């Protein structure tokens, strides 16, 4: 039986939710009694907590809400200044101003007088990685006398490898430049730490290539393990989730052949899509009964960030314009509010009651992505018939049957259509920011764009009993802007002396509108 040494005084926060299965025997050690304990540790402290928030304070006040700003930085959202007696539900513009407007210091507020903590997500994700390291260091030494026990050990090991890969992949796409074959060996990513013990040292950043190499190595181990096991639930990683993440990683690396291969493996395992032509009795699209869900972890409740209320973020005009009138996602993903004159995001909850789903807003694996990965990977290889088929298989379940027609585009038009379809289908699920980054460096039809964001100040009018806009300032993210990569959190730089930051320029106002 493996003895796992833990410095309790330092790591007590890690085990706060695990007291039922890790018993302290002395001031500085704890014992794992079997693989069941490691499975609980994995579920309780390596997976992102998956909860449906009960109210707004819980949504933003708990560790369950991970990097919500990933949506705010994209072209999918805009602030709503429509006159209304209702104010913001939770002013995300204020809380994440530095992210939302791509500031040099992302923790800064609109007045430039206050700095919020920038390292929250960095620290949380590395905590998950550290505990995954502990599980992996211990799992092979656990007793497994029966065949079922051996399979459980293999499953736990596979899930730990999958999660560590997923976290490094997330970190390198937040804090490292987009992967390119030419520059990845010199571009800086994030530190790699795979030891299970505390190291009192200053960390430096590994290269983007080294992080991707680590991700692929971990996913290779996960694949070997999880292909021997069966899925426990949509809240636990399995072989299909591993295939989909491998497809995504290879797509980002522009390895089209491998991205295609793993997308096909996903669809061999799970290819079902919900047909929007037959939504009778279904409250909303994203719920735990959705047959195309492969894996999810983390918090739902994005409609409290993207509420569409005045002074809040709502669906952008640009995203809404992507949906044609025959696209049923214009009803089930986004919906125009006739009475108040703005577009609401309804994919993850009903308009009237702000329902929230237990499916993550940032970490959701669906079969729809596999179809889109397959379409993109094949079109770049010149396999246009395969690309059109994958696209049509998806579109046939999203467009009104009586107005449906297969796509016939080719060449550059087909590539653009696939990218637009990805924007429509995966909107506000945490893909868009990463997609915009990788399109910039894509060898096949590179693409970048300018994005504009506004920040409006209001006064409350006791004449109209509503908030009245006073001034709007506009910020702009340029094509191929350095701010497509987040700066390393200032707290991390302060501790790790000499760690190089990602340089991004000062973000100035480009337009001022007075009312």
């Amino acid at each position: 039986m493996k003895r796992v040494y833990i410095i309790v005084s330092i790591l007590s926060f890690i085990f706060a939710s695990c007291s039922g299965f890790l018993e302290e025997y002395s001031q500085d050690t704890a014992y794992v009694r079997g693989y069941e304990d490691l499975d609980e540790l994995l579920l309780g402290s390596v997976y992102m907590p998956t909860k449906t928030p009960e109210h707004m304070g819980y949504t933003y006040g708990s560790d369950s809400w991970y990097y919500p700003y990933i949506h705010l930085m994209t072209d999918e959202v805009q602030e709503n200044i429509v006159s209304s007696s209702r104010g913001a539900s939770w002013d995300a513009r204020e809380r994440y101003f530095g992210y939302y407007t791509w500031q040099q210091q992302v923790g800064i507020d609109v007045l430039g007088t206050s700095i919020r903590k920038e390292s929250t997500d960095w620290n949380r994700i590395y905590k998950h990685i550290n505990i995954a390291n502990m599980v992996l260091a211990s799992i092979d030494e656990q007793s497994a006398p029966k065949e079922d026990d051996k399979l459980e050990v293999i499953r736990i090991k596979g899930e730990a490898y999958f999660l560590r890969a997923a976290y490094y992949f997330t970190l390198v796409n937040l804090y490292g430049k987009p992967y390119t074959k030419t520059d990845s060996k010199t571009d800086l990513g994030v530190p790699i730490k795979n030891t299970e013990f505390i190291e009192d040292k200053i960390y430096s950043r590994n290269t983007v290539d080294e992080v991707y190499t680590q991700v692929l190595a971990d996913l290779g181990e996960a694949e070997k393990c999880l292909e021997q096991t069966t899925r426990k639930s949509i809240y636990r990683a399995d072989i299909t989730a591993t295939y989909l993440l491998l497809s995504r990683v290879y797509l980002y690396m522009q390895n089209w052949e491998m991205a295609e291969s793993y997308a096909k493996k996903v669809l061999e395992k799970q290819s079902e899509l919900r047909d929007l032509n037959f939504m009778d009795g279904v409250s909303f699209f994203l719920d735990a009964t959705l047959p195309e869900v492969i894996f999810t972890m983390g918090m739902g409740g994005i409609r409290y960030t993207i509420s569409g209320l005045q002074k809040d973020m709502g669906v952008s005009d640009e995203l809404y314009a992507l949906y044609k009138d025959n696209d049923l996602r214009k009803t089930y993903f986004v919906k125009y509010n006739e009475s108040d004159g703005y577009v609401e995001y309804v994919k993850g909850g009903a308009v009237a009651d702000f329902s929230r789903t237990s499916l993550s807003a940032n970490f959701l694996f669906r079969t729809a992505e596999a179809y889109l990965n397959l379409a993109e990977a094949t079109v770049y290889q010149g396999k246009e018939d395969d690309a059109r088929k994958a696209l049509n298989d998806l579109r046939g379940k999203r467009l009104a049957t009586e107005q449906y027609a297969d796509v016939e585009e080719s060449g550059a038009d087909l590539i653009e259509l696939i990218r637009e379809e990805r924007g429509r289908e995966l909107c506000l699920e945490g893909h868009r920011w990463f997609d915009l980054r990788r399109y910039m460096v894509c060898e096949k039809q590179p693409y970048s764009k300018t994005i504009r964001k506004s920040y409006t100040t209001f006064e409350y009018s006791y004449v109209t009993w509503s908030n009245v806009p006073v001034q709007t300032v506009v910020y702009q993210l340029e094509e191929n802007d350095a701010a497509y990569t987040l700066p390393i959190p200032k707290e991390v730089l302060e501790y790790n002396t000499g760690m190089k930051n990602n340089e991004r320029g000062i973000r100035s106002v480009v337009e001022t509108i007075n009312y």
Side-chain angles (χ1 to χ4, degrees):
M1 185 176 299
K2 176 79 172 180
R3 176 181 292 186
V4 181
Y5 290 94
I6 303 164
I7 303 175
V8 176
S9 61
I10 296 177
L11 297 183
S12 59
F13 59 89
I14 291 177
F15 299 111
S17 62
C18 311
S19 57
F21 59 91
L22 277 181
E23 181 180 356
E24 295 178 19
Y25 282 85
S26 68
Q27 188 177 1
D28 62 353
T29 64
Y31 291 80
V32 171
R33 293 183 174 275
Y35 70 79
E36 296 91 347
D37 289 350
L38 291 177
D39 195 26
E40 271 196 73
L41 181 60
L42 186 75
L43 184 60
S45 295
V46 185
Y47 281 92
M48 293 180 185
T50 298
K51 299 174 183 175
T52 302
E54 297 176 359
H55 54 80
M56 272 312 299
Y58 185 79
T59 299
Y60 284 90
S62 78
D63 285 347
S64 301
W65 191 257
Y66 286 70
Y67 45 94
Y69 45 80
I70 191 103
H71 308 290
L72 308 184
M73 298 185 292
T74 74
D75 54 2
E76 295 177 306
V77 303
Q78 65 187 37
E79 71 166 349
N80 180 29
I81 64 171
V82 174
S83 179
S84 171
S85 60
R86 298 179 296 170
S89 59
W90 195 262
D91 195 348
R93 303 172 320 141
E94 180 65 31
R95 289 177 171 269
Y96 300 106
F97 171 81
Y99 293 94
Y100 167 57
T101 59
W102 318 288
Q103 296 296 318
Q104 187 177 52
Q105 287 185 290
V106 291
I108 201 167
D109 68 2
V110 66
L111 299 176
T113 58
S114 176
I115 302 292
R116 292 172 58 88
K117 188 175 181 180
E118 297 177 358
S119 61
T120 299
D121 291 308
W122 175 286
N123 290 339
R124 286 189 297 198
I125 293 173
Y126 270 111
K127 287 176 191 176
H128 291 316
I129 289 172
N130 284 335
I131 305 173
N133 293 340
M134 294 168 59
V135 171
L136 290 170
S138 307
I139 189 63
D140 284 339
E141 298 188 25
Q142 302 309 308
S143 175
K146 299 178 182 179
E147 188 61 30
D148 287 349
D149 296 325
K150 290 183 174 64
L151 288 176
E152 285 294 279
V153 166
I154 290 170
R155 177 188 57 77
I156 294 165
K157 186 176 180 178
E159 289 181 28
Y161 273 121
F162 171 91
L163 291 168
R164 190 169 73 178
Y167 290 133
Y168 277 128
F169 183 63
T170 299
L171 285 169
V172 78
N173 278 284
L174 288 172
Y175 298 105
K177 290 184 179 179
Y179 182 96
T180 65
K181 296 174 184 176
T182 54
D183 297 329
S184 64
K185 287 182 169 57
T186 53
D187 286 340
L188 294 178
V190 295
I192 296 173
K193 179 189 180 296
N194 292 340
T195 54
E196 74 278 16
F197 46 83
I198 299 296
E199 294 180 286
D200 184 15
K201 72 175 191 178
I202 301 299
Y203 282 92
S204 59
R205 297 168 64 185
N206 290 82
T207 66
V208 169
D209 180 72
E210 288 170 336
V211 179
Y212 270 82
T213 298
Q214 178 65 54
V215 169
L216 289 178
D218 281 350
L219 289 177
E221 293 298 321
E223 184 178 8
K224 287 188 290 188
C225 293
L226 295 178
E227 66 185 3
Q228 304 177 55
T229 66
T230 57
R231 182 163 92 166
K232 290 178 69 70
S233 77
I234 61 172
Y235 302 107
R236 302 294 287 263
D238 71 344
I239 188 59
T240 312
T242 304
Y243 290 156
L244 185 52
L245 185 52
L246 277 162
S247 176
R248 188 188 302 179
V249 171
Y250 280 121
L251 195 68
Y252 283 33
M253 296 178 72
Q254 304 187 56
N255 186 333
W256 318 126
E257 295 84 358
M258 293 300 290
E260 174 191 2
S261 174
Y262 277 105
K264 287 180 176 177
K265 285 178 179 287
V266 172
L267 297 176
E268 288 169 2
K269 289 278 189 180
Q270 186 171 338
S271 60
E272 189 173 359
L273 295 165
R274 176 170 283 171
D275 193 334
L276 297 187
N277 289 280
F278 303 98
M279 287 286 284
D280 295 342
V282 178
S283 298
F284 49 87
F285 182 77
L286 287 183
D287 63 22
T289 68
L290 183 64
E292 57 197 73
V293 172
I294 294 170
F295 169 65
T296 183
M297 65 175 175
M299 182 72 82
I302 189 176
R303 289 200 65 244
Y304 276 105
T305 313
I306 317 295
S307 72
L309 298 180
Q310 189 183 48
K311 296 174 65 178
D312 256 359
M313 300 298 166
V315 173
S316 70
D317 295 337
E318 186 173 350
L319 174 57
Y320 187 63
L322 286 178
Y323 299 97
K324 309 305 179 186
D325 288 341
N326 67 331
D327 195 328
L328 297 174
R329 289 169 296 195
K330 201 171 184 177
T331 299
Y332 294 110
F333 285 20
V334 296
K335 188 175 183 177
Y336 187 71
N337 184 314
E338 296 284 352
S339 60
D340 289 321
Y342 63 90
V343 179
E344 295 187 276
Y345 173 74
V346 297
K347 187 197 287 187
V351 174
D353 60 7
F354 269 46
S355 299
R356 285 142 290 167
T357 174
S358 58
L359 302 183
S360 174
N362 296 350
F363 215 105
L364 174 62
F365 287 23
R366 297 195 286 122
T367 53
E369 184 192 347
Y371 285 99
L372 291 163
N373 289 358
L374 180 59
E376 189 173 347
T378 51
V379 76
Y380 292 151
Q381 297 177 72
K383 302 177 181 179
E384 293 194 347
D385 287 341
D386 292 340
R388 281 188 287 265
K389 182 181 185 309
L391 202 58
N392 289 328
D393 286 345
L394 174 62
R395 286 164 52 86
K397 301 296 177 69
R398 304 302 192 232
L399 306 186
T401 301
E402 63 274 12
Q403 301 174 52
Y404 176 78
D406 282 348
V407 300
E408 297 180 353
E409 282 84 348
S410 62
D413 291 339
L414 181 56
I415 292 174
E416 183 178 356
L417 180 60
I418 291 169
R419 291 174 178 175
E420 286 183 357
E421 194 63 38
R422 191 175 179 91
R424 282 186 281 264
E425 178 63 29
L426 301 179
C427 70
L428 294 166
E429 293 183 33
H431 291 270
R432 182 61 175 171
W433 181 249
F434 295 151
D435 284 343
L436 287 172
R437 285 164 38 87
R438 66 186 181 84
Y439 293 157
M440 288 192 304
V441 298
C442 187
E443 296 172 355
K444 308 286 186 177
Q445 204 163 314
Y447 169 79
S448 187
K449 66 182 299 185
T450 297
I451 304 174
R452 289 166 66 91
K453 297 285 188 183
S454 64
Y455 183 94
T456 302
T457 52
F458 296 83
E459 288 182 354
Y460 190 78
S461 170
Y462 289 96
V463 176
T464 61
W465 299 101
S466 64
N467 294 306
V468 177
V470 175
Q471 184 183 76
T472 296
V473 291
V474 180
Y475 299 88
Q476 188 162 292
L477 184 71
E478 305 292 347
E479 294 183 11
N480 304 305
D481 202 302
Y484 273 102
T485 301
L486 289 179
I488 302 298
K490 63 183 180 63
E491 298 88 355
V492 175
L493 294 174
E494 288 167 359
Y495 181 81
N496 293 278
T497 307
M499 180 179 285
K500 297 188 69 173
N501 198 5
N502 299 317
E503 300 302 328
R504 42 167 37 182
I506 295 173
R507 192 71 44 178
S508 302
V509 172
V510 297
E511 183 180 0
T512 301
I513 304 168
N514 294 307
Y515 299 95

